[in-house]
Structure formats: C-alpha cells, structure tokens
Amino acid sequence: QVQLVESGGGLVQAGGSLRLSCAASGRTFSTYAMGWFRQAPGQGRDFVAAISRSGWTTYYVDSVKGRFTISRNNAKNTVYLQMNDLKPEDTAVYYCAAVYSGSTSTYYIERASYDYWGQGTQVTVSS
C-alpha cells in the first residue's frame, strides 16, 4: 500500500513557476513508477508527465514539453513537478499517482495503469 500526499500548489501569474511535490509513504518507493495528472473544472483527469521507477526515463504531454520537468528523489520518497512559464490553461487540480513497476525504465501514461492516487493540489494561473 502506498499513500501519496501532494503539496506546492497555489495561485501564480501567467509566466510564473511552481514546484509540486508528492511525498509517498512506505519503504518501497523506488519500485513504483510515478505520474502526474491534472483535472480542470468540468474536464476529465488528463496525463501530464511520467517517470520510471529509476528516474532514467520520463515522458510529457505535448502541451507541457519544455515547460514542465518531472523528477524524483528515491531517498526522500518524493516525486516533483517543476512547472515554469505557467499559462492560464494549466489551471487545474494536480494529482500524483503510483504504480508498481518491475522495470527500471518503464513509464506509464494511461490513467488506468495507476493503482494509487493522492488527494490533489490546486494550481491556479491568472492572466
């Protein structure tokens, strides 16, 4: 069982930056691939970024490439999402998610692949 707690959301002006953190419980964090998703009002929960359990491989949705960076620190049981050059369309509740992975280099982009979810953190970008 993994429990995930996100933090770092808030209100920021367009062009600004935020860093989201997701702290995981348990001693096996390094065996889980991680992902970030977001859900805007009235919308579905969409993929944003993913990282393999080792951190060696990452993947991003096209709309955030070059602006967002996903990373992890397995010693701290934490995954991060650095968000730069934020736009109003990035406004959403951001969720981190975890899935056990037998591969050090596999990442997952489908919501249904993930078994554990955090409670979400609100990111609001004003124009």
Side-chain angles (χ1 to χ4, degrees):
Q1 191 80 0
V2 176
Q3 292 185 322
L4 305 172
V5 179
E6 302 98 333
S7 61
L11 173 65
V12 64
Q13 289 188 331
S17 298
L18 284 173
R19 187 174 85 153
L20 305 183
S21 298
C22 174
S25 65
R27 295 177 290 178
T28 59
F29 178 70
S30 62
T31 64
Y32 287 83
M34 302 295 295
W36 285 97
F37 290 73
R38 65 186 179 185
Q39 187 166 14
Q43 305 287 326
R45 191 171 298 188
D46 297 326
F47 171 78
V48 176
I51 190 166
S52 63
R53 71 182 223 184
S54 64
W56 295 343
T57 53
T58 59
Y59 189 81
Y60 301 89
V61 67
D62 284 348
S63 60
V64 308
K65 284 180 181 177
R67 300 189 299 122
F68 290 12
T69 302
I70 188 170
S71 62
R72 65 190 295 160
N73 184 328
N74 285 346
K76 294 185 176 181
N77 283 14
T78 303
V79 63
Y80 305 97
L81 187 67
Q82 177 66 44
M83 306 187 294
N84 298 328
D85 189 23
L86 282 160
K87 306 176 185 297
E89 52 264 40
D90 295 317
T91 294
V93 177
Y94 283 71
Y95 298 88
C96 70
V99 57
Y100 173 79
S101 177
S103 165
T104 56
S105 59
T106 301
Y107 53 77
Y108 301 85
I109 64 174
E110 297 294 332
R111 187 177 63 184
S113 297
Y114 289 88
D115 297 315
Y116 304 100
W117 294 84
Q119 83 290 347
T121 186
Q122 176 70 48
V123 172
T124 303
V125 185
S126 63
S127 57

